[in-house]
C-alpha cells in the first residue's frame, strides 16, 4: 500500500513557476514508476509527465514539453513537477500516481495502469 500526498499548488500569474511535490509513504517508493496527471473543469484527465523508478527515464505530454520537468528523490520518497512558463491552460487539479508496472511510452499515459493516486493539488494560472 502506498499513500501519496501532493503539495505545492496555488495561484500564479501566467509566465510564472510552481513546483509540485508528491510525498509517498512506505519503503518501496523506488519500485514504482510515477506519473503526473491533471484535470481541468469539464475536461477529461490528461497525462502530464512520467518518470521511471530509477529516475533515468522521463516522458512528457507535448503540451508541457520544454516547460515542465519531472524528477524524483528516492531517498526522500518524493517526486516533483517543476512547472515553468505557466499558461492559462495549465489550470487544473494535478494528481500524482504510482504504478507497480514498468511503463513505457504509451502505457505511461494510461491512468488505468496506475495503482495509487494522491488527492490532488489545485494549480490556477491567472492572466
Amino acid at each position: 500500500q502506498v499513500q501519496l500526498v501532493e503539495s505545492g499548488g496555488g495561484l500564479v500569474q501566467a509566465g510564472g513557476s510552481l513546483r509540485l511535490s508528491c510525498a509517498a509513504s512506505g519503503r518501496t517508493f523506488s519500485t514504482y514508476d510515477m506519473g503526473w496527471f491533471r484535470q481541468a473543469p469539464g475536461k477529461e484527465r490528461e497525462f502530464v509527465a512520467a518518470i521511471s523508478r530509477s529516475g533515468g527515464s522521463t516522458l512528457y505530454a507535448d503540451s508541457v514539453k520544454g516547460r515542465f520537468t519531472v524528477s524524483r528523490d528516492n531517498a526522500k520518497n518524493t517526486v516533483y513537477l517543476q512547472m515553468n512558463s505557466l499558461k492559462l491552460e495549465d489550470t487544473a487539479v494535478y494528481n500524482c500516481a504510482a504504478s507497480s508496472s514498468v511503463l513505457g511510452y504509451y502505457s505511461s499515459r494510461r491512468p488505468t495502469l496506475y495503482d495509487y493516486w494522491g488527492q490532488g493539488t489545485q494549480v490556477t494560472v491567472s492572466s
Side-chain angles (χ1 to χ4, degrees):
Q1 187 78 9
V2 176
Q3 291 186 327
L4 304 173
V5 179
E6 302 96 336
S7 61
L11 176 64
V12 63
Q13 285 191 325
S17 298
L18 281 175
R19 188 176 83 154
L20 305 184
S21 299
C22 172
S25 65
R27 302 178 182 177
T28 60
F29 177 70
S30 62
T31 65
Y32 291 90
D33 286 359
M34 299 296 295
W36 285 97
F37 291 80
R38 67 187 182 186
Q39 188 167 20
K43 295 187 176 182
E44 292 187 354
R45 179 176 286 170
E46 175 188 24
F47 169 78
V48 176
I51 186 166
S52 62
R53 54 204 63 195
S54 70
S57 179
T58 57
L59 292 168
Y60 298 94
D62 288 345
S63 58
V64 307
K65 199 173 295 183
R67 299 188 297 122
F68 290 12
T69 302
V70 60
S71 61
R72 67 190 296 164
D73 185 338
N74 286 342
K76 295 183 178 179
N77 283 11
T78 303
V79 62
Y80 305 97
L81 185 67
Q82 178 67 44
M83 306 186 296
N84 298 330
S85 302
L86 283 161
K87 303 177 180 181
L88 297 179
E89 53 264 41
D90 294 319
T91 295
V93 174
Y94 285 71
N95 295 89
C96 67
S99 175
S100 58
S101 302
V102 176
L103 301 177
Y105 181 85
Y106 294 105
S107 54
S108 294
R109 291 161 165 75
R110 295 173 57 186
T112 56
L113 294 183
Y114 290 82
D115 305 294
Y116 304 102
W117 291 81
Q119 84 289 348
T121 186
Q122 175 71 47
V123 171
T124 302
V125 183
S126 65
S127 59

